[in-house]
Every structure is written in C-alpha cells, then in structure tokens.
Amino acid sequence: MTERTPLLHYRLSASVNESERRAPPAGQAVEQLPDSPRQRSTHQRQAKKLSTFFGVVIPTLLSMFSVVVFLRIGFVVGHCGLYQAIAMFLVAYFIISMTVLSVCAISTNGALDAGGAYYMISRALGPEFGGSIGLMFFLANVCGCALFVLGLVEAIVATFGVPEAGTVATSSFQVLPSGYWWSLLYGTVIALLCLLVCLVGAHIYAKATFLIFLVVMFVLGTIFISFFVVHPRVIVLPPPSTPTANGTGPPFATTANFTSFKLDTLLGNLWADYTLDYTTGNMMNFATVFAVMFNGCTGIMAGSNMSGDLKNPSYSIPRGTITAVIFTFIIYNLLCVLEACSCDRVLLQRDNSFLRDINIWKPFVTIGVYSSTLSAAMSNLIGASRILYALARDDLFGKVLSPAKKTSHSGNPWVSVLISWFLVQLVLFSGKLNTIASIVTIFFLLVYAAVDLACLALEWASAPNFRPTFRYFTWHTCVLGIVGCAVMMFLINAIYASASIAFMLLLLLLIHYLSPTSSWGYISQALIFHQVRKYLLMLDVRKDHVKFWRPQVLLMVSNPRSSVGLITFINDIKKSGLYVLGHVQLGDLNTLPSDPLQSQYDSWLSLVDYLNIKAFVNLTLADSVRHGVQHLLFISGLGGMRPNTLVLGFYDDCSPTDKLIDPSLSTSQSTDPLGPSLDPEQQSPLFHFASLRGSGDSRDGKVVGPQEYVAIIADAMKMSKNVALARYFNNFDRAQALSPASSSQGKGAVYIDVWPVNLLRPDSCSYVDTCSLFLLQLACILNMVRAWRKATIRLFLCVEEGRSVRGSEEKLGQLLKELRIKAQVYPVPWDEQVALHWQRQGEWSKKQQSADGAEDDKQSAEEEESEEDYVNSFPSNATRLSDDYLSAVNKLILDQVRPPPAVRFLYLPRPPADTRRYTAYLHQLDLLTKDLGPTLLIHGVTPVITTDL
C-alpha cells in the first residue's frame, strides 16, 4: 500500500485555522487594545505596514483553505454529487456573506483599533457581550491550537509511524513508534515548538505567512495541473477503520479509478449517493456532509483581526475580505467540477487524500497539509495569547487575569502565552479531534453571530454617529447572518450549541454584575431609547457616550398657528431623539380658580397627531416667559431623556401667518351649528388655540422684550444647553422646499448650506470648535432623514487673502472624511468684509485719540466706561462690529445662493457678558440674517461627534 496522509478527521478544522487573524506581527498589536489616550498615542506612533493583500487577503485565504481544500472536497462531491455540492457551497457562502457584510460595516464606522472581532463586539455592544464572547473566542483558539497539533501528529504518525500489528509497512520511513502516549509526546513537542516561536519571536511566523501562502497556492496549482496532465490510473484505497460486523454486509472495494476527463464519469457524479463514511462507519446524509463542508468556508474574520497592523483598516478589511471570499468560492467550485469529471464515485467516497495519489509529485500535497496545519497551530496559540492579554488589559474579570497583563521589553505578553500554552497542553490529553473540532466551530459561529448582533444593534439603535462608509447591508442581512449561524451551530451539534449559549449567558451576567464601568459606550443605552415607558428607568446619564448622542429638542412655541413650518422642520432633525413642544402661559396660580393648562393639553396633543410628528408636550404657568423657559429646561424629560437643545423662534417684525385654518371645517360649522358635526370629538382642537389677530405679536406689544429674549438664550447656555434660533420659518413648507420643481436645475438641486465660522468674529476663522462641529452634526442628521437624503450639504469656508486656501480646504476635507460626512466645500473670500471691520477699528482708535482735553471730565469718563463695557461684552477685545460690516456679510451669504438652499445653518455666538449690550447683540443677529430665508442660528456647548468606533 502506498504512503498516504490520513483523513485527520478535519470535519471542523478549517474554522479553527481562522485564528490566524489573531497573530499580529511581532506582538505589537497587543499594546493598542485598550482605549486610554496614552495607549492610543503609542498606537499612532507605531508604524502600520500591512497592505490589503498581505494583511487581509493572505490571512483570510489561509484561514478558509487550510487542509480542507486538500482533504474534504472529494468527500463532499462523493456523497452529495455535483449538484448538491454546488448548492451546499451556495448556501454556506450565503450564510458567511451575511456576516462579512456586518464585519465590513462595523470596520468602516470610525477608527478601528487592534483586536479584531473582540474589539468590534466589545466596543459596539459593551463589556458584557465583549467579555463573554472574548473569553469564548480565547477558548476556541486554545482548542483550535490543540486540534491542529493533534492533526499534525496523526499526519506524521501515518506517514512515518510504525504500522499496527497485522499490517505491512509500505515505506522504509515508517520508524516512529505509535500509540496514545507516543502521540501525546509528539503533540507536546509540537506545542513546545509553537510556544518557543511565540516567546522568542512571533515575527518569525508573521514573516513566514507569505511563504506559507505561496506554498499553499503552489500546491493548489499543481493539483489543478494534475487533473489535465496525469494519465488515468488505478488507485489502491485505504482499508476502512470500522470493518463490517461479523464479516457480513457489502464488501468494501480495494481499488478505484482516476479516469481523467470523461463524460460517463461526470454523469455518474451528478446526483447524490450517500453511503457509510469509511473512517467512522457512520451513514452520511445531507446534514452531516453539510456540517463537514461548512468548515471550509469559515475564517472570514482573519483579516479584520489584523486591524492593528493595517495601514488603513477601514479601506482594507472590506475589500480584502470580500476578495478572499470570492476567490475561495471560485476555487472550491472549480475543484468540485474537476473532481466530478475525472474521479470515480468510489474513489471520492473511500479516499479523502486521493489528490496526493493523482498529483504530478505525491509529496506536494503532503507538504501543503503539513505547512498549513503547523501554521494554523502556531497562529491559534498566538491569537489565544493576544485575546487573553486584551481581556486582562480591559479588566473585565478583575484580578483573575491580572498576571496576563505582564509583557516583555519588546511588548510580547509572555505570561499570556504561557497560560495559553498550558491550556493547550491540557486539551491535548483528550486526543479526540472530532470532539474538539465541534466545540471550536460552534464557538467561532457564536462569535460570527455576535458580530451580526453588534451590527444589528447599531443599526436598530439608529445612532447618528453610526454611518459606516460600507452601506451594502441592512438589518435584514444581520438577522439572516444570526439565524444562519444559529442553524449551523445546532446542525453540527445541538448539545454543544446549547451548552455554549448557556455558558455565554452565564459569563454575560457575571461581567454585568462584577465588572467595573467602562468608557466604551453602551449601545444598550441607545436601544432603550426606543423602548416603551417601563424601560425608561434603565437609561443612566452616567453611561452617556458621545457616539450615541442624539438631539433632544425643546422647541418653545408661542402660538402653533404661526409655527407649523418650524415644528415640522425640527421634527426632521431630532433623529429619533426626544422632542418636546414647550409653551409658557403667563399667570399666577394663586389668583386663578383652577389650572388653565389642563384644558389645553388636548389641543396640543391633537396638534401632534395632526402634524404626524413624534413629540411630547410640556406646558407651564409662570410670571414671565423667561422663568417659564427655565422651568421647562429644568423639568422636561425623565432620566436620560432630557432636552439638550433649546430652539426659539427669532425675535423680529415678521407678520405671523395662520397655517391651521381648515376651510372645510369652518364651512360645516357655519352651515349646521346645531347638527352632529358640532360634536366636540369631531371638532378639531387645533382651532382652540388663540387667534393671531390682536394677540400682541407686533414688536411693540410682545410679551417678551429683546432684553428678556437674549436673557433666555444666556440662561440656556448657562445650563449647558445647545441653542438654536430659527428665522423665516413662518411660511416654511418642506414639500415645497424639497420639490425639484422649485429649482431651475431640477433633480439634485436641493441644498443645505452650512457656515461653520463665527461671522461676528472676523478676527477668527476657526471652524473646528465645538459649535462648528455641532452645526455639521445637525446638518448631517438632517441629510440622513429620508425626505432630505437627496439634498446636498454645501460647506462654506471663509478665507482671507494670504492664507492657504488649498491647505484650509484640504484640511476641512480630511475632517469631513474622518467624520464620514459628505459635503461640498466652497472657499469664500471675504477680504472686503473683513476690511470694513478693520476700518471700523481704525475709526474707533482715532476717535479715542482725538478726545479733546477740554471736554468735561464726567463725559470723558462716561465714554471710556461705555467703550470698556462694549469691549468686555464680546469674546475678543478687538471685536467692534459696524452695521456696514454685518450688512456686507449678509450680502456675502446671499451672493452664494445659486440655487438658493432649502435651509441655512449659521454660527450663533454667545450673548455678551454685559446685559446692557443684549439689544445691540440682537440687532447684529438681525442684520446678519436679514432676508436669508429659512435659517438656523446654532450654538453648541457639548461635543456631539466622534471619529472613534
């Protein structure tokens, strides 16, 4: 009998090879797992050298191919036939493709640090899921290392081991003693070799990865060539490991034919013919063969786990992973077709290592099996140690894993390596490959399902900062990925699958109650936001995180009849956040017989239903509007759902327009005043609001003066609330604003203009402060609403002569790219406007120097005091703005409208510190926004955007 490599029971082994993804070169990636600023800076200093091909494509290909491509494709075709084999690959790749889409989505949503699947799950779902899945991922890699070590031992013993009693040696190289204890000794030696590589130089494996890849590709090439150049031959089949009982039953064939390409051979291999597996004696069926085949399709996350060593993870991971998946799919199907056309059914069913016997040089396949198995064992040990080190650094298990934090001078986590090797050595005592492989694959499938769950949770949370550049996924693909992984887990082994899920839930509860609070952000807080009232108490303000920030708006409405356009517009920028309509009624409860607000709630709630918005209503009674707004800012909301943004209508002379007049109802009421149509439930409560006529809405008769109006703005900023002033929304109609017919340029001619520069500070052109980023975030949120998705964000960058226009534009473009915001940047020169400002400064200085000594001392003192008050009332002492300058800036903004935008976002500066300057401040805002159309003046006081995952 010829020399041959045994089956090695690689039913589930390919998925274990996936842990190559955990083997970052030279152990550098482990230092970057935590999120502290110091470690982040260290991470930035370390060079990332791996490209898409070397960092993603090669690891993923090696993980997905492994030894299955050499030993298992014929097994699948032999039992299932060509038709069912291709169908199996289509189903299997559909399942893993759903997970690939989730991996690509998460990896392109912000800065991806080292850590791969553990990092993505923990930072997306929080420490509970991250820690539990991470520990199971660690155990999977440990068992995977032991699996490949035992597989390599069996391959060596089969080739070089002394044959059992009663059998004849087929080679002079069969000199190694065999048996359980000898196999354990060989496995221990191989494990020690892997340990030595991990302790002395993990970079040795990293550098050899490309050579291993070349070996595997070369062996595959020889296999493809052999199908065409090798002549037909008779191949001696290996004896079955489980002979038929009592010698009865059908006899096993001892030889089979390699026929080369023949039509009869193809026709004989088209349909399924399930029979006994000659290695186990078990009867095969569709489910068992599919479970075996599926393990050649795993390993899809090998590239994402090299994220810490990639030049551009967000670019490389999607492209590299998808490329590897497509390539392996093509190779597997080509092998299926070639084997079905050239090999007898008996050969495919009875000899899993027949590819070596038909190869142009038999040792090629053996070399491929040995190299891929050894590399998989080493990478699993490296990956397990890195996962354990990451878990220890994150302190999810307290002091239990604290020793694993220790590293060498070069940053190699040697204690984690020793612990991982010790556990591998314990697993080696089992000596059963099938049992280990089942556990490993189920653990990996659980990790895949967790990645899909993380992506699904981020999508369902609808967080504004979840906007991955990879958009070829939906929540449907995430659900399909979860269901597919779950089905495969129970198909492989229902008992192990149930036990692994129960173990994960136990770990999740332990970490939830025992681990310290992390700073990663809790997606549960974003998901609870969408739940019913009984979950509201679970929202914890101490767990708020910037990446899950959303606008929570308190819109102050004086009379809804003139505010319909503003109410509907603000509903678009709330991004599933809290939306409260606030109203202040002047009065004193001591002088009233009852609360006048109770009877008004029905009208306000009906207004919400009528406008089809998702908003709450808060009414208050106060002696002044300012005090009423303070009340609402203090008490609105519950728990973590409290307003963080105050929106006010602008203080101007615009005549209000009633937008709630329904002529049909008015006619019916006048026609039959006593008929059924006057039923209170049929009368629209919208008409119970006070009429605009005689309501004192003129500037002279307003219940709020300019001094009190600006004081409300200042109060909100003192309370750390963002403020937005809405002007010219009286006649705003969203349908009309978004209609292409309203613009001469037709389709795509809807714009959202953003001016992120403080136009009242001509001496400063900063556009990256908190307020500017708040403007960008709100504009992006508006652009994410379905009705506004076709709108284009235009970002205007004010530049002066002598400054680097290209540099500023490139810098802003890079910022937008990091923030995943699509916008068109337009540099706007404003030298003429700035010149008007500085001209005013010169006039002010001359006026100050020309003060006549003969002037009255009191008058001079009053002028100096007035000047000092003016200067100190603005952020910069050089800020003395003239009406000419403000009018020029207003004209500058108007000149940029080709076509005019649907809405503008402008920078709202803080009110002056001196309350006596409030009127002048309001006058400046009035000049700045005159005739601009729908405009939001926005001031942000809190960070709302992040580039992190």
Side-chain angles (χ1 to χ4, degrees):
M1 185 179 295
T2 59
E3 297 178 24
R4 63 180 68 254
T5 304
L7 172 64
L8 304 182
H9 299 270
Y10 283 109
R11 291 173 178 255
L12 308 168
S13 56
S15 62
V16 185
N17 195 31
E18 172 189 338
S19 61
E20 293 176 31
R21 63 192 179 187
R22 284 290 186 183
Q28 294 179 357
V30 299
E31 291 297 323
Q32 298 118 27
L33 277 168
D35 278 339
S36 67
R38 180 178 180 182
Q39 289 150 358
R40 219 174 248 285
S41 63
T42 302
H43 169 72
Q44 293 172 354
R45 288 194 299 267
Q46 293 174 345
K48 296 183 178 182
K49 300 180 180 179
L50 295 182
S51 62
T52 301
F53 181 73
F54 288 96
V56 181
V57 176
I58 290 179
T60 307
L61 284 176
L62 289 177
S63 298
M64 298 185 72
F65 275 152
S66 184
V67 295
V68 174
V69 71
F70 303 115
L71 300 178
R72 276 304 186 182
I73 302 300
F75 167 84
V76 174
V77 177
H79 288 280
C80 299
L82 181 61
Y83 289 155
Q84 287 192 15
I86 294 178
M88 283 185 177
F89 277 109
L90 289 174
V91 173
Y93 270 82
F94 175 79
I95 293 174
I96 65 171
S97 295
M98 299 301 100
T99 303
V100 168
L101 296 179
S102 300
V103 171
C104 295
I106 298 179
S107 63
T108 58
N109 185 56
L112 183 64
D113 211 335
Y118 166 69
Y119 184 85
M120 288 190 290
I121 296 171
S122 61
R123 270 53 178 180
L125 293 182
E128 295 95 342
F129 274 98
S132 57
I133 295 296
L135 184 60
M136 299 185 72
F137 204 13
F138 163 72
L139 295 177
N141 278 273
V142 168
C143 295
C145 180
L147 173 68
F148 280 103
V149 169
L150 290 174
L152 183 56
V153 168
E154 288 195 14
I156 294 174
V157 170
T159 305
F160 301 102
V162 175
E164 298 179 0
T167 60
V168 180
T170 59
S171 172
S172 59
F173 298 105
Q174 294 180 275
V175 294
L176 295 178
S178 59
Y180 171 80
W181 293 105
W182 284 106
S183 297
L184 180 62
L185 176 62
Y186 301 150
T188 301
V189 172
I190 295 173
L192 285 174
L193 175 63
C194 297
L195 173 66
L196 188 64
V197 171
C198 294
L199 288 178
V200 178
H203 61 281
I204 297 176
Y205 169 75
K207 293 180 178 179
T209 302
F210 182 61
L211 295 179
I212 296 174
F213 169 76
L214 291 179
V215 170
V216 173
M217 290 298 103
F218 177 77
V219 173
L220 274 177
T222 62
I223 290 174
F224 279 108
I225 294 174
S226 300
F227 281 108
F228 294 92
V229 302
V230 173
H231 299 291
R233 63 180 59 177
V234 177
I235 298 176
V236 179
L237 299 177
S241 59
T242 55
T244 57
N246 300 325
T248 62
F252 283 97
T254 58
T255 61
N257 295 320
F258 171 71
T259 65
S260 190
F261 292 101
K262 284 188 177 181
L263 180 60
D264 292 340
T265 304
L266 174 62
L267 295 176
N269 290 326
L270 289 179
W271 305 103
D273 182 18
Y274 296 103
T275 184
L276 294 177
D277 180 7
Y278 80 97
T279 62
T280 62
N282 297 327
M283 185 66 186
M284 294 289 100
N285 55 46
F286 184 89
T288 55
V289 176
F290 185 80
V292 172
M293 180 276 305
F294 183 77
N295 299 279
C297 307
T298 55
I300 55 176
M301 296 171 63
S304 64
N305 285 276
M306 299 296 291
S307 56
D309 302 282
L310 298 174
K311 292 180 181 178
N312 190 345
S314 297
Y315 175 87
S316 299
I317 290 175
R319 290 163 175 80
T321 304
I322 294 175
T323 300
V325 168
I326 294 175
F327 182 77
T328 54
F329 178 77
I330 294 174
I331 294 298
Y332 281 141
N333 282 276
L334 283 177
L335 284 176
C336 288
V337 173
L338 292 177
E339 291 174 0
C341 293
S342 59
C343 300
D344 281 345
R345 173 80 65 149
V346 176
L347 177 62
L348 297 175
Q349 292 176 341
R350 288 287 315 282
D351 189 357
N352 289 291
S353 57
F354 72 94
L355 288 176
R356 186 188 60 181
D357 295 317
I358 67 171
N359 200 279
I360 53 179
W361 190 52
K362 293 182 179 181
F364 275 153
V365 176
T366 302
I367 293 172
V369 172
Y370 283 12
S371 60
S372 61
T373 308
L374 182 61
S375 68
M378 288 190 297
S379 64
N380 272 265
L381 182 58
I382 293 173
S385 64
R386 270 43 179 184
I387 299 169
L388 182 63
Y389 175 74
L391 289 169
R393 290 293 298 269
D394 286 340
D395 288 325
L396 297 182
F397 296 92
K399 296 182 180 180
V400 177
L401 298 180
S402 57
K405 297 180 182 179
K406 296 182 180 179
T407 61
S408 62
H409 293 293
S410 61
N412 189 26
W414 61 275
V415 176
S416 297
V417 173
L418 289 175
I419 295 175
S420 302
W421 167 81
F422 177 74
L423 295 177
V424 169
Q425 188 63 46
L426 292 180
V427 178
L428 288 178
F429 280 95
S430 67
K432 296 181 179 180
L433 295 179
N434 284 347
T435 302
I436 302 173
S438 299
I439 296 174
V440 168
T441 302
I442 288 174
F443 279 5
F444 277 130
L445 286 173
L446 199 58
V447 173
Y448 294 166
V451 173
D452 287 317
L453 179 62
C455 188
L456 178 66
L458 289 170
E459 178 70 10
W460 276 357
S462 190
N465 286 311
F466 181 66
R467 43 177 182 267
T469 57
F470 184 88
R471 294 300 306 173
Y472 299 101
F473 78 100
T474 64
W475 68 268
H476 304 85
T477 62
C478 300
V479 171
L480 289 174
I482 295 173
V483 173
C485 292
V487 169
M488 279 306 307
M489 288 169 57
F490 285 92
L491 183 65
I492 292 170
N493 193 310
I495 297 177
Y496 289 161
S498 302
S500 63
I501 294 175
F503 181 56
M504 183 200 71
L505 294 177
L506 177 62
L507 289 175
L508 190 149
L509 293 176
L510 289 176
I511 297 175
H512 177 74
Y513 288 106
L514 300 179
S515 67
T517 302
S518 72
S519 60
W520 306 337
Y522 290 72
I523 198 172
S524 59
Q525 297 302 298
L527 290 172
I528 292 170
F529 204 92
H530 289 286
Q531 305 308 310
V532 293
R533 180 191 57 81
K534 66 180 180 179
Y535 293 113
L536 187 60
L537 293 176
M538 296 177 62
L539 280 175
D540 190 344
V541 295
R542 296 171 296 181
K543 297 179 181 179
D544 284 346
H545 198 276
V546 62
K547 63 186 176 185
F548 298 129
W549 178 91
R550 68 183 75 237
Q552 301 190 66
V553 181
L554 172 62
L555 172 62
M556 297 306 303
V557 181
S558 175
N559 192 325
R561 293 186 178 278
S562 61
S563 306
V564 172
L566 180 58
I567 292 173
T568 56
F569 177 79
I570 298 300
N571 185 65
D572 285 340
I573 66 171
K574 71 180 189 304
K575 185 55 179 176
S576 303
L578 178 67
Y579 185 22
V580 179
L581 300 179
H583 174 73
V584 178
Q585 180 166 331
L586 299 181
D588 186 356
L589 195 59
N590 290 330
T591 62
L592 297 173
S594 63
D595 182 6
L597 301 178
Q598 296 302 320
S599 61
Q600 299 181 22
Y601 272 100
D602 287 342
S603 297
W604 284 88
L605 294 176
S606 297
L607 172 70
V608 171
D609 295 337
Y610 175 79
L611 298 179
N612 193 25
I613 61 174
K614 297 179 180 180
F616 299 95
V617 175
N618 248 359
L619 310 180
T620 188
L621 189 69
D623 58 352
S624 69
V625 175
R626 180 182 182 184
H627 289 164
V629 176
Q630 290 177 358
H631 295 167
L632 294 177
L633 287 175
F634 276 125
I635 67 174
S636 294
L638 290 172
M641 296 181 65
R642 293 186 179 275
N644 56 32
T645 303
L646 174 67
V647 180
L648 302 172
F650 196 80
Y651 192 94
D652 56 19
D653 291 321
C654 293
S655 299
T657 305
D658 194 341
K659 295 294 184 179
L660 294 180
I661 296 177
D662 192 337
S664 61
L665 287 181
S666 300
T667 303
S668 64
Q669 292 176 9
S670 61
T671 303
D672 189 7
L674 299 178
S677 62
L678 271 184
D679 187 333
E681 293 183 0
Q682 294 182 4
Q683 293 187 31
S684 175
L686 303 175
F687 297 92
H688 295 173
F689 295 117
S691 173
L692 293 177
R693 294 172 302 187
S695 60
D697 279 335
S698 64
R699 177 68 66 93
D700 296 333
K702 282 188 175 180
V703 294
V704 179
Q707 197 78 8
E708 186 179 6
Y709 178 85
V710 180
I712 294 173
I713 300 174
D715 291 342
M717 293 182 184
K718 290 177 183 178
M719 300 166 67
S720 297
K721 307 294 183 183
N722 310 297
V723 178
L725 307 182
R727 190 173 191 186
Y728 297 117
F729 279 89
N730 291 338
N731 298 315
F732 180 80
D733 187 345
R734 186 180 72 171
Q736 182 180 0
L738 296 176
S739 174
S742 63
S743 174
S744 60
Q745 295 191 13
K747 185 178 179 181
V750 180
Y751 294 95
I752 302 171
D753 285 1
V754 180
W755 294 75
V757 179
N758 186 354
L759 298 174
L760 298 190
R761 286 284 305 276
D763 57 321
S764 172
C765 58
S766 174
Y767 53 87
V768 291
D769 58 7
T770 300
C771 186
S772 299
L773 294 178
F774 188 85
L775 263 71
L776 289 174
Q777 181 76 318
L778 283 189
C780 181
I781 289 174
L782 180 63
N783 198 213
M784 294 168 71
V785 177
R786 177 175 298 178
W788 291 85
R789 284 179 184 172
K790 293 184 178 180
T792 302
I793 299 178
R794 298 189 298 193
L795 197 59
F796 294 93
L797 176 62
C798 296
V799 295
E800 297 181 37
E801 186 178 2
R803 295 181 180 271
S804 175
V805 177
R806 178 178 294 273
S808 301
E809 188 174 359
E810 291 178 353
K811 182 179 178 182
L812 185 57
Q814 180 63 29
L815 174 64
L816 294 175
K817 183 179 180 181
E818 293 177 358
L819 298 177
R820 291 98 61 205
I821 296 178
K822 293 183 179 180
Q824 298 176 0
V825 181
Y826 293 89
V828 178
W830 67 332
D831 300 85
E832 298 180 3
Q833 291 74 22
V834 174
L836 289 174
H837 165 69
W838 291 115
Q839 181 180 358
R840 171 64 183 270
Q841 304 306 305
E843 293 175 357
W844 192 284
S845 300
K846 292 179 181 178
K847 178 180 179 181
Q848 189 177 21
Q849 294 174 0
S850 63
D852 188 5
E855 289 179 300
D856 184 78
D857 293 339
K858 182 179 180 179
Q859 182 179 357
S860 177
E862 288 178 354
E863 286 184 1
E864 291 178 1
E865 182 181 359
S866 176
E867 178 187 351
E868 183 179 358
D869 291 341
Y870 186 89
V871 171
N872 293 333
S873 65
F874 289 95
S876 171
N877 290 337
T879 304
R880 304 182 183 97
L881 302 176
S882 65
D883 291 353
D884 293 338
Y885 165 77
L886 294 170
S887 299
V889 173
N890 175 263
K891 185 177 182 300
L892 174 69
I893 298 175
L894 287 173
D895 290 341
Q896 307 303 318
V897 291
R898 297 177 183 175
V903 64
R904 287 184 176 87
F905 290 80
L906 300 186
Y907 191 113
L908 175 67
R910 281 182 173 272
D914 186 356
T915 58
R916 291 173 293 179
R917 303 299 308 170
Y918 280 359
T919 304
Y921 170 80
L922 193 56
H923 175 67
Q924 291 174 347
L925 297 181
D926 182 53
L927 290 178
L928 179 65
T929 59
K930 185 177 181 180
D931 299 326
L932 290 186
T935 302
L936 279 183
L937 285 161
I938 301 172
H939 186 88
V941 297
T942 56
V944 297
I945 199 168
T946 178
T947 60
D948 293 335
L949 177 65

